[in-house]
Amino acid sequence: MKEPAKKAGSGKKNRWIFLALPVLVSVLLLLVPVPAGLEPYAWHFFAIFVGVIIGLIFEPLPGAVIGLTGVVVIALFSQWLLFSPAELADPKFKTAAQSFKWAVSGFGNSTVWLIFGAFMFAAGYDKTQFGRRLALILVKYLGRRSLTLGYAITFADLLLAPFTPSNTARSGGTIYPIIANLPPLYGSKPNDPSARKIGSYLMWVAITAACITSSMFLSALAPNLLALGIVNSVTGINISWGTWFIAFLPVGLLLLLTMPLLAYWFYPPEVKINDEVPRWATAELAKLGRMSRHEILLLVFVCCALAMWIFAASFIEPAMAALLVVVLMLWTGVLNWNDITSNKPAWNTFAWFATLVALADGLSRTGFIAWLGKEGAALMGGISPGAATIALLLAFYLLHYLFASTTAHTTALLPAMLTIGAAIPGINMQVFCLLMVTSLGVMGIITPYGTGPSPIYYGSGYLPTKDYWRLGTIFGAIFLIALLVIGYPWMVMMF
């Protein structure tokens, strides 16, 4: 009885440390002399912003609470943190009203609503079981051989990715529950030497597929949509769904086609062939029966949304297209209103990202981003635009080792990288922006905590710690090289 009590006490102590850490970091930064060339209020805003990022990294409270706290603190002390002396000196400037307007500005951001709409798509996949049906069909026809089973898992993730903005929901909520049933059919058990029979291979393929598809589609990873808003806020560049897809297409196709084979070489399964898996998938499909009316309607609706995102962005805002599909799902019964109101992950992400969008915009509003870009560009003086692009991408990619959240990584580093890039003469900013944002998914492979599904597969019992770090280094290097050697020249040619 003493041991659990001791662990509980230790956990409580750690939580208090993690709660105090963001406050301590912010206070220390507030006490640091303001850097030359920067307004005091901009530096003070940055101090609170860094505190929020520290909170997002260690998460003593939910991310949405951390973000909301940061917004409220800045709004309450806006005279010293948000507004310039010139604004405050204007008799017509209403500080209280403007503070509140800034604090809730993220909730009116179209990117945030696009994220919310895409979460509703995922709810439709889950409720109708259409996502499970897709995965089982692929396993049925490709599951006899270990290698083709790896491709089945990859293609299942690929089919779900454009309509699922959370790779945790897609991979952890749909793919993992299915493939977790497969290793026992081969006599492969977690936390056991038999894990290498096939379970280890399948789990590694699943997490790598999730990372690749997260980079391939704008709508496949929630931080992608956050990055879109940051790019527009910092540089004024708009990236459409189609532009994103085309930019990453050759890299994505190459990685998707070769990754299961690479995993087969670097982490080979002991069992190569098994007839049980297709039979199991056939039985599970029989339990599902024929496609229901709701599944058919969902398929039609998501295809319409995809068509609008690709071909009609100039006629209908992507977020409005998503909301239109949500309304259609509600009217046709694919979802009901309770499915909307009870979807805690969707509302949590909505609140979280709305606050992060406001905070990221505040960095630009106060002039901190412009100052940082000027200082960063000075440090990189004399470097060619191409070399600067590669150096900044390498730094952005490798710094992900410090983050347990792609969202925190995006919020903390992307504005700075974009600003430094924009200040370098001759750099192709559209290509630079595309390189940065399309790296967000694939960089998640490097650590067991690098992206949402990572802890799920790491904790499955099939991927020992040393194997995960070794493979993460190998595949992280492969993904980065592919982005630099294939993606960069392709983007320069296309954009």
Side-chain angles (χ1 to χ4, degrees):
M1 294 295 292
K2 290 184 180 179
E3 189 63 28
K6 187 184 291 185
K7 288 182 178 179
S10 176
K12 190 173 182 180
K13 182 180 178 181
N14 288 339
R15 183 173 181 272
W16 280 110
I17 292 173
F18 291 152
L19 277 170
L21 193 58
V23 178
L24 179 62
V25 170
S26 292
V27 170
L28 289 175
L29 284 174
L30 286 170
L31 296 175
V32 170
V34 178
L38 189 63
E39 292 289 338
Y41 73 98
W43 176 253
H44 298 156
F45 183 100
F46 174 70
I48 304 302
F49 179 83
V50 171
V52 171
I53 297 303
I54 297 296
L56 291 176
I57 291 172
F58 292 101
E59 282 204 325
L61 294 170
V65 176
I66 300 293
L68 187 61
T69 302
V71 165
V72 169
V73 168
I74 290 169
L76 287 175
F77 297 96
S78 58
Q79 293 184 36
W80 301 279
L81 300 173
L82 186 62
F83 300 127
S84 67
E87 288 175 308
L88 296 172
D90 186 349
K92 296 180 180 180
F93 188 81
K94 307 298 182 183
T95 305
Q98 291 300 319
S99 298
F100 180 77
K101 184 178 180 181
W102 171 82
V104 298
S105 61
F107 291 92
N109 185 278
S110 62
T111 301
V112 174
W113 281 102
L114 180 59
I115 294 170
F116 180 80
F119 263 93
M120 294 304 108
F121 289 9
Y125 268 92
D126 184 53
K127 186 175 182 180
T128 63
Q129 296 197 70
F130 183 60
R132 177 176 174 81
R133 184 184 296 276
L134 286 176
L136 287 171
I137 289 172
L138 288 170
V139 170
K140 175 183 176 180
Y141 291 106
L142 297 174
R144 184 170 179 268
R145 295 179 180 273
S146 300
L147 179 59
T148 54
L149 184 55
Y151 279 100
I153 293 169
T154 302
F155 293 151
D157 198 296
L158 179 64
L159 289 170
L160 296 174
F163 318 108
T164 317
S166 166
N167 61 1
T168 306
R170 175 175 76 253
S171 191
T174 300
I175 304 296
Y176 177 75
I178 294 174
I179 66 173
N181 292 286
L182 303 181
L185 300 175
Y186 294 82
S188 183
K189 300 175 183 178
N191 301 307
D192 187 82
S194 64
R196 286 299 305 273
K197 283 188 175 181
I198 195 172
S200 299
Y201 169 73
L202 296 182
M203 297 300 167
W204 185 252
V205 167
I207 183 59
T208 50
C211 292
I212 296 167
T213 57
S214 293
S215 275
M216 194 162 189
F217 304 102
L218 167 61
S219 49
L221 182 69
N224 288 353
L225 297 154
L226 174 64
L228 192 71
I230 292 174
V231 167
N232 182 257
S233 173
V234 175
T235 69
I237 293 174
N238 288 306
I239 300 174
S240 67
W241 195 98
T243 299
W244 183 300
F245 177 71
I246 292 170
F248 194 74
L249 182 60
V251 177
L253 282 179
L254 176 68
L255 293 179
L256 287 172
L257 291 173
T258 60
M259 180 272 301
L261 184 59
L262 291 172
Y264 198 79
W265 290 340
F266 285 110
Y267 207 43
E270 295 171 2
V271 176
K272 310 299 182 184
I273 299 176
N274 188 290
D275 293 321
E276 287 295 318
V277 173
R279 284 199 286 266
W280 170 81
T282 301
E284 291 296 307
L285 281 169
K287 293 177 185 177
L288 287 178
R290 298 178 62 183
M291 278 187 69
S292 66
R293 169 182 171 272
H294 286 166
E295 286 180 272
I296 295 171
L297 285 171
L298 176 68
L299 179 60
V300 172
F301 292 155
V302 295
C303 287
C304 288
L306 188 59
M308 286 187 283
W309 289 342
I310 297 173
F311 302 111
S314 59
F315 302 102
I316 181 169
E317 170 70 33
M320 184 57 68
L323 290 177
L324 170 61
V325 170
V326 171
V327 169
L328 291 173
M329 287 196 289
L330 288 168
W331 273 84
T332 55
V334 173
L335 294 176
N336 57 50
W337 187 241
N338 186 58
D339 295 323
I340 305 291
T341 58
S342 63
N343 195 323
K344 291 182 180 180
W347 290 110
N348 176 63
T349 304
F350 179 78
W352 183 11
F353 276 57
T355 57
L356 292 181
V357 166
L359 288 167
D361 179 67
L363 280 177
S364 179
R365 189 190 191 286
T366 58
F368 182 86
I369 292 295
W371 171 82
L372 183 67
K374 182 179 178 183
E375 295 297 314
L379 289 174
M380 301 192 73
I383 300 176
S384 70
T389 297
I390 294 171
L392 290 172
L393 177 62
L394 284 170
F396 187 63
Y397 192 93
L398 295 176
L399 283 170
H400 193 59
Y401 275 105
L402 304 179
F403 291 89
S405 161
T406 310
T407 302
H409 182 119
T410 304
T411 309
L413 297 183
L414 185 59
M417 293 295 177
L418 294 176
T419 307
I420 293 171
I424 296 171
I427 199 168
N428 185 328
M429 272 310 291
Q430 183 163 11
V431 169
F432 180 74
C433 291
L434 286 169
L435 277 171
M436 288 288 165
V437 297
T438 55
S439 72
L440 290 171
V442 291
M443 69 173 59
I445 197 63
I446 61 179
T447 67
Y449 50 82
T451 189
S454 299
I456 297 172
Y457 292 104
Y458 177 59
S460 68
Y462 289 101
L463 294 172
T465 302
K466 64 176 182 178
D467 288 355
Y468 204 114
W469 282 98
R470 177 176 63 86
L471 292 167
T473 301
I474 293 170
F475 279 77
I478 291 171
F479 292 173
L480 178 59
I481 291 169
L483 193 59
L484 287 171
V485 175
I486 299 171
Y488 185 23
W490 166 261
M491 293 177 198
V492 170
M493 182 178 70
M494 293 299 295
F495 306 105

